[in-house]
Amino acid sequence: MSSTAAASSYWRVAGMSYLKYSNLCADMVRSVLKEPAKKAAQSREAIYYRSAVWKDGAPEKQVITDITGGTSGKLS
């Protein structure tokens, strides 16, 4: 068994997708950074997206959603 196959089995055994696993690892790394690097990493963590409800071929109302809360190294 190759080393990449052995490493990928941990997140599969835990019942996680790879995306959820990698986000959890990134949150844990960001949570242990020291202050100058931690502030820079937190500023890159903000995610915004815009969605709109369409009716009769035109957007009715646009909503901008802000997702800034990571898991901060928490498993649950």
Side-chain angles (χ1 to χ4, degrees), residues 24-35:
L24 179 68
C25 291
D27 285 340
M28 286 183 179
V29 168
R30 282 191 294 266
S31 71
V32 298
L33 289 173
K34 292 187 179 178
E35 192 46 49

Side-chain angles (χ1 to χ4, degrees), residues 17-30 71 73:
S17 68
Y18 183 75
L19 183 60
K20 192 172 195 175
Y21 170 75
S22 64
N23 284 334
L24 179 68
C25 291
D27 285 340
M28 286 183 179
V29 168
R30 282 191 294 266
T71 58

Side-chain angles (χ1 to χ4, degrees), residues 46-59:
I47 299 170
Y48 299 95
Y49 69 90
R50 180 175 31 187
S51 62
V53 177
W54 288 73
K55 185 174 183 181
D56 298 327

Side-chain angles (χ1 to χ4, degrees), residues 46-52 62-67:
I47 299 170
Y48 299 95
Y49 69 90
R50 180 175 31 187
S51 62
Q62 292 188 357
V63 177
I64 297 176
T65 305
D66 171 18
I67 304 173

